[in-house]
Amino acid sequence: MPATRRLLVSLGLAAAIWMAWQWWVDPRRVIARRLDQIADVLSTPAGAGELERFARAARLTQYFAPDVHISAGRPGPSVTSRDALVAAVAAWKGNEPAGGRDVQVVDVEVTLESASAARASMTVRLVGVDPRTGVRSVDAREVAARLADVDGEWVITGARLVETLERP
Amino acid sequence: MFGAHPRHTAIRAAVLVVTAGAIFGVVLLPVRLVGISMEPAYRDGGFTFANRLAFAWRQPARGDVVAIRMAGLRVVYVKRIVGLPGERVSIAAGIVAIDGRPLDEPSVRDRAPWSMPPVALDVDEYFVIGDNRAMAMEHHEFGRVRRDRIVGKLLF
């Protein structure tokens, strides 16, 4: 293989490896994956038992700071600790329809403020199906979150619902 | 399979792909409608496009049905503009008033007795609302929106 072609192939391979490495370790990608994982924890498959629902709620502790502050907007409630958040989610899951609920995080935009702090905006979609009627319900909310790198893991330190349409 | 002139076929295919990508990636935003807030004009499960260049040469106008982005473009609100920047919007007995004058809304069929005190719009704000006023007001998403959130006008 001519030297020039070898050089081009080597450069191309190095670029591909660098891009793959960036994709995997880029903090913005890591945070986006963490948000996807949270959505997966908040989702509940159809027919899930009460034990599974509460177990899923308990898994949230790894994604939130102990003093996390969650605001549901005006005049909605606020949660000011991780324990309170897990309890609230467990109660929410206890009232879920038997058809389950799918939580999706889309349009995620992450901004790094420093090596250990970040902001993220996203749209959270909740899709549920009534197993008796098959009627699909969809709701969506815009969320702004703050994250911090704690011991190598990105956790949410605060989040609030954003009023896309500002009601009077 | 590729015709008598495969190179021409390949060029035509490439042009088609690039054009489709430009149109559907830049100009037209596909919108699948979910919910009943825009009935009867737009029904749950319907499909349309938002023209992202509709406001390149003019500002949004009263009566325009627009797509409003949330965090991005994968989920958007579809609402009708009833109030323009600088105006005061109020609702009494289900009737929208602009600067105290009742607004004629031919797209609204039935009205529940909604009530909302006057809201003053800023220089870059619009007031948007759905056409389905028969539903309970607390279940209807509506309100002020900044101009930079309006991404396009529905084509049909």
Side-chain angles (χ1 to χ4, degrees):
Chain A
M1 182 188 290
T4 308
R5 189 178 290 185
R6 273 204 302 269
L7 179 63
L8 287 174
V9 169
S10 301
L11 286 174
L13 201 57
I17 292 172
W18 178 82
M19 286 168 63
W21 182 256
Q22 285 294 312
W23 176 274
W24 195 254
V25 301
D26 184 345
R28 286 167 293 190
R29 297 286 185 193
V30 172
I31 289 170
R33 283 198 293 272
R34 292 281 281 179
L35 295 172
D36 273 337
Q37 291 166 4
I38 294 173
D40 187 56
V41 170
L42 290 173
S43 300
T44 306
E50 192 172 352
L51 192 59
E52 179 180 352
R53 292 202 295 266
F54 286 121
R56 282 174 169 263
R59 281 168 54 191
L60 285 175
T61 53
Q62 61 184 300
Y63 298 105
F64 292 87
D67 57 347
V68 63
H69 190 278
I70 309 285
S71 170
R74 60 183 181 98
S78 288
V79 169
T80 55
S81 73
R82 184 172 58 194
D83 291 342
L85 172 65
V86 171
V89 171
W92 176 60
K93 282 184 167 291
N95 293 325
E96 278 188 4
R101 178 177 285 129
D102 184 29
V103 179
Q104 303 163 356
V105 174
V106 299
D107 289 331
V108 177
E109 190 73 33
V110 178
T111 304
L112 293 176
E113 296 180 327
S114 69
S116 60
R119 286 180 288 114
S121 65
M122 70 209 79
T123 301
V124 179
R125 293 181 69 208
L126 285 77
V127 182
V129 177
D130 188 326
R132 291 168 301 163
T133 63
V135 173
R136 193 163 160 265
S137 64
V138 180
D139 195 7
R141 289 286 182 263
E142 188 177 348
V143 175
R146 296 188 313 276
L147 300 101
D149 184 340
V150 177
D151 298 329
E153 295 286 359
W154 286 96
V155 296
I156 294 178
T157 58
R160 63 180 177 86
L161 287 184
V162 176
E163 281 190 289
T164 307
L165 303 182
E166 193 177 328
R167 286 178 75 108
Chain B
M1 180 179 168
F2 298 106
H5 304 284
R7 188 161 170 266
H8 291 169
T9 302
I11 291 172
R12 278 195 286 266
V15 168
L16 190 62
V17 168
V18 170
T19 303
I23 290 174
F24 294 104
V26 177
V27 178
L28 296 181
L29 176 70
V31 177
R32 188 164 67 87
L33 299 159
V34 176
I36 61 172
S37 71
M38 281 299 293
E39 290 185 355
Y42 296 90
R43 297 198 173 274
D44 182 34
F47 183 84
T48 183
F49 292 96
N51 178 3
R52 298 178 64 185
L53 295 183
F55 305 125
W57 297 281
R58 70 167 179 89
Q59 293 298 315
R62 197 178 339 268
D64 285 347
V65 178
V66 296
I68 299 158
R69 69 171 180 84
M70 300 179 87
L73 295 179
R74 285 187 59 183
V75 182
V76 297
Y77 282 112
V78 171
K79 299 292 176 186
R80 191 179 299 275
I81 292 176
V82 295
L84 302 177
E87 294 179 340
R88 286 174 66 86
V89 182
S90 61
I91 305 176
I95 305 292
V96 174
I98 305 296
D99 294 331
R101 291 187 299 273
L103 181 66
D104 180 30
E105 296 186 272
S107 57
V108 176
R109 189 178 294 169
D110 300 308
R111 300 172 193 269
W114 291 13
S115 176
M116 183 192 79
V119 170
L121 299 177
D122 209 342
V123 295
D124 65 343
E125 288 182 333
Y126 293 79
F127 201 92
V128 296
I129 197 168
D131 288 346
N132 186 356
R133 313 289 173 77
M135 61 189 293
M137 185 173 159
E138 58 267 25
H139 296 152
H140 192 108
E141 298 287 342
F142 69 98
R144 298 189 297 193
V145 64
R146 289 196 327 262
R147 169 66 183 92
D148 62 358
R149 289 279 185 153
I150 298 175
V151 298
K153 180 173 184 280
L154 263 59
L155 268 188
F156 51 83

